[in-house]
Amino acid sequence: MCPDSAAPEGSSNGRQVLGAADISRVLRRIAHEILEANKGADDIVLLGIPSRGVPLAKRLAALIAEVEGSDIPCGALDITMYRDDLRRQPTRAPMPTQIPDSGVDGKTVVLVDDVLYSGRTVRAALDALADHGRPAAVRLAVLVDRGHRELPIRADHVGKNLPTAQSETVRVRLAETDEADSVTIAGGAR
Amino acid sequence: MRGNGGRMPSGAAAMPRHLLSMADLDAGAIRTILDTATQMQDVQRREVKKIPTLRGRTIINLFFEDSTRTRSSFEIAGKWMSADTINITGKGSSASKGESLRDTVRTIDAMGVDALVIRHGASGAAHQVAGWVDAHVINAGDGTHEHPTQALLDAYTMEQRLGSLEGKHVAIVGDLTHSRVVRSNLISLRRLGADVTLVAPPTLMPSGIGAWSAAEGFTLSHDLDAVLGGKGSGEAARPVDALMMLRVQKERMSGGFFPTAREYTVGYGLTRDRLNRLCDANPEIVICHPGPMNRGLEISADAADAAQSLVLDQVSAGVAVRMSVLYHLLAGEESPTESGATSEGSAA
């Protein structure tokens, strides 16, 4: 699982779908979408789902602050303890959950994750969120939606819809965690 | 597995099936349990202290010896993680009618429980039980042998105040012969990179400890003041970062281990006098005691209630650490030995 610094097209690392500039443009659009849907930045709380949702949420918060000129609360929501597949794999070490001091009660919480796939992570996140309070509304923003939902869950803000086969692997790399920004797709039938 | 983008499996170290001894946990596993305990302490601070992680699991606390903090913290830890926890004490069970330990635990196991947390007066009881049952077994203290979750919570509490224990100097003082806490603590502290000095009168040093100290690399002393520095100790002693006072276990003592309680206190107790000297030399020092305390014997009331005392932090950490242990032993897939690395490979 070592992050590769470069993922050239057609290499064994897979095909690059989004580069650093694309990711930056996509996030900027999502930031504007969130503001548009919410009619401003009031009462928005961004919560990233570890690990890569957290830096994405921070970037969105910075972009929104750039547009609106005011900081918005941003945190992290770990879902490890709420997974429905705990018994199917060795235990994982949970990551920190950071709920902003303003809390989530009555706020519009935007969950942020890198890839939307089965929807099970989001289901777990909704359970986890309910244990921290009662938001007025919960929205979902993802960098990539790769389809294959197993639950009735959809994203409100999508960076890129990426049709995939289930045998393929979508990998998101972010500068904060993996040196450089990229989204690649690998594996599957060629 | 879920193919969730590039989510890296957060490197949790391989966990043993049972927690019988601190030796079951390598440095990586100890680190994982302590890190997870940090997240568990967040749950402890929430308004609604309940997570669904162990829903549908049954944990039996089987206590053949008295306990306040260990038993209740295991029970709370299980309940906060939505497991069903049931307490059985030796006195109120069929053991008091003469049932053997083997029959008792096999009876409980036959009901289909997931974990047995056991405390027993005989050293090695948990090891024996682990061979008799299908459930996960957690040693909550066996005779004068081990008490691994206590060592984990001690390490956790000290880290909260001192940061990494790597290179820190921990002195453990008191009744080493009858202490199960000391053996577990020695193993964990050494694996976390701390230097350890054990201090006790010659009569309370377990036999054969010399060879053990050579093997594990810790120091022995009969002179508390020399270890702590000051009063009469000529050479500058290595500064102590953490001082762990052990309880004088009168209930396990069948002979004269020291002439009088007063004499023990003068030689090995954390008196107000020693406390003041220590705090003058190093205000950052931390004082631990696994409890229950004999106030006025091994620890003075001033020391027990000092700002440097972590006694209540230890109790509070006990719940978080035990949640972490239960999580890592029970929440994952069964027979982790077979699958260990496989799911990591496909997790991309």
Side-chain angles (χ1 to χ4, degrees):
Chain A
M1 294 291 289
C2 323
D4 303 285
S5 50
E9 280 204 12
S11 80
S12 59
N13 289 322
R15 184 165 54 86
Q16 179 164 314
V17 187
L18 294 176
D22 303 318
I23 290 176
S24 150
R25 275 192 290 272
V26 149
L27 288 178
R28 194 167 290 274
R29 172 172 54 78
I30 293 178
H32 283 282
E33 279 183 17
I34 290 172
L35 286 172
E36 190 183 5
N38 192 61
K39 299 184 172 62
D42 291 347
D43 288 335
I44 290 184
V45 176
L46 295 180
L47 290 180
I49 300 175
S51 48
R52 287 183 184 72
V54 179
L56 286 176
K58 284 193 185 132
R59 287 194 204 183
L60 285 173
L63 289 166
I64 291 175
E66 209 176 281
V67 177
E68 294 290 302
S70 58
D71 285 344
I72 65 163
C74 177
L77 183 69
D78 184 67
I79 56 121
T80 311
M81 297 290 153
Y82 296 84
R83 297 181 75 95
D84 62 3
D85 59 352
L86 281 169
R87 297 211 73 168
R88 291 159 183 261
Q89 54 197 351
T91 53
R92 299 163 174 224
M95 313 276 267
T97 288
Q98 283 151 353
I99 303 295
D101 292 337
S102 49
V104 296
D105 285 327
K107 311 280 186 185
T108 298
V109 172
V110 182
L111 297 173
V112 183
D113 203 0
D114 53 353
V115 179
L116 178 59
Y117 184 21
S118 64
R120 289 178 191 266
T121 300
V122 176
R123 184 216 55 87
L126 291 171
D127 277 359
L129 187 56
D131 281 357
H132 288 280
R134 186 181 183 280
V138 184
R139 315 255 182 249
L140 175 62
V142 296
L143 185 59
V144 173
D145 181 350
R146 62 168 295 190
H148 305 289
R149 215 76 75 238
E150 294 164 8
L151 296 170
I153 279 170
R154 63 166 180 79
D156 300 276
H157 312 289
V158 179
K160 184 165 179 64
N161 281 300
L162 197 60
T164 58
Q166 274 182 305
S167 55
E168 288 173 316
T169 303
V170 176
R171 182 181 287 188
V172 174
R173 294 184 184 82
L174 295 175
E176 292 90 333
T177 49
D178 324 85
E179 293 176 7
D181 282 3
S182 72
V183 177
T184 55
I185 183 165
R190 289 288 168 98
Chain B
M1 283 194 128
R2 287 266 152 245
N4 217 335
R7 175 150 307 146
M8 229 180 284
S10 8
M15 289 293 159
R17 177 168 177 78
H18 307 292
L19 181 54
L20 307 175
S21 157
M22 267 316 289
D24 294 339
L25 302 174
D26 59 21
I30 295 173
R31 189 72 266 143
T32 300
I33 288 177
L34 298 184
D35 288 348
T36 303
T38 314
Q39 315 307 333
M40 295 302 186
Q41 202 146 39
D42 284 347
V43 175
Q44 204 171 347
R45 294 195 191 98
R46 285 189 200 168
E47 205 171 320
V48 180
K49 300 175 181 64
K50 201 81 167 176
I51 54 176
T53 316
L54 294 181
R55 204 156 54 91
R57 307 304 181 83
T58 307
I59 300 167
I60 304 269
N61 288 327
L62 185 55
F63 277 62
F64 291 96
E65 275 190 355
D66 297 339
S67 162
T68 306
R69 64 213 85 216
T70 306
R71 196 183 69 195
S72 52
S73 65
F74 264 114
E75 182 174 5
I76 292 170
K79 287 193 161 146
W80 284 356
M81 296 174 89
S82 303
D84 295 299
T85 59
I86 290 151
N87 291 321
I88 300 176
T89 55
K91 282 171 200 126
S93 73
S94 294
S96 63
K97 299 179 192 163
E99 189 176 56
S100 73
L101 176 61
R102 184 169 185 272
D103 285 336
T104 302
V105 296
R106 281 169 62 89
T107 301
I108 295 166
D109 194 48
M111 295 176 194
V113 303
D114 297 284
L116 258 175
V117 177
I118 182 163
R119 166 167 291 189
H120 198 281
S123 300
H127 281 84
Q128 285 259 286
V129 169
W132 291 330
V133 299
D134 291 330
H136 297 265
V137 177
I138 297 171
N139 183 0
D142 59 334
T144 58
H145 178 229
E146 282 224 45
H147 191 356
T149 55
Q150 178 71 41
L152 288 166
L153 76 88
D154 288 341
Y156 179 85
T157 316
M158 285 187 269
E159 277 192 352
Q160 294 284 301
R161 201 62 89 82
L162 298 174
S164 165
L165 297 181
E166 179 88 45
K168 294 286 196 298
H169 184 202
V170 182
I172 307 180
V173 185
D175 181 358
L176 305 179
T177 299
H178 301 99
S179 175
R180 51 194 169 212
V181 175
V182 72
R183 187 184 314 265
S184 297
N185 254 304
L186 262 175
I187 300 171
S188 76
L189 289 171
R190 292 297 297 144
R191 288 188 180 176
L192 290 169
D195 297 317
V196 182
T197 303
L198 299 187
V199 188
T203 49
L204 288 174
M205 285 270 183
S207 58
I209 197 167
W212 190 30
S213 84
E216 280 275 348
F218 57 87
T219 321
L220 298 172
S221 171
H222 299 312
D223 186 345
L224 180 58
D225 287 316
V227 171
L228 299 182
K231 199 171 101 173
S233 65
E235 289 297 300
R238 164 103 199 264
V240 172
D241 299 294
L243 185 59
M244 189 181 295
M245 305 307 295
L246 298 176
R247 184 169 65 93
V248 174
Q249 305 201 24
K250 287 177 259 181
E251 78 277 16
R252 291 188 216 277
M253 290 186 181
S254 52
F257 288 90
F258 44 83
T260 64
R262 173 79 194 137
E263 203 160 318
Y264 180 87
T265 307
V266 169
Y268 298 94
L270 184 54
T271 56
R272 180 194 303 185
D273 204 33
R274 284 197 177 101
L275 173 76
N276 290 340
R277 276 209 311 277
L278 273 176
C279 296
D280 286 346
N282 173 19
E284 305 295 310
I285 195 169
V286 298
I287 297 161
C288 301
H289 191 300
M293 295 184 280
N294 294 312
R295 281 177 187 249
L297 182 52
E298 73 267 1
I299 188 165
S300 64
D302 302 83
D305 302 327
Q308 286 79 6
S309 164
L310 298 183
V311 173
L312 288 178
D313 302 71
Q314 286 174 280
V315 177
S316 144
V319 178
V321 166
R322 285 170 179 127
M323 285 173 82
S324 172
V325 167
L326 290 173
Y327 166 68
H328 282 294
L329 257 56
L330 299 183
E333 64 182 351
E334 289 300 315
S335 64
T337 44
E338 284 167 24
S339 60
T342 55
S343 69
E344 302 226 343
S346 63

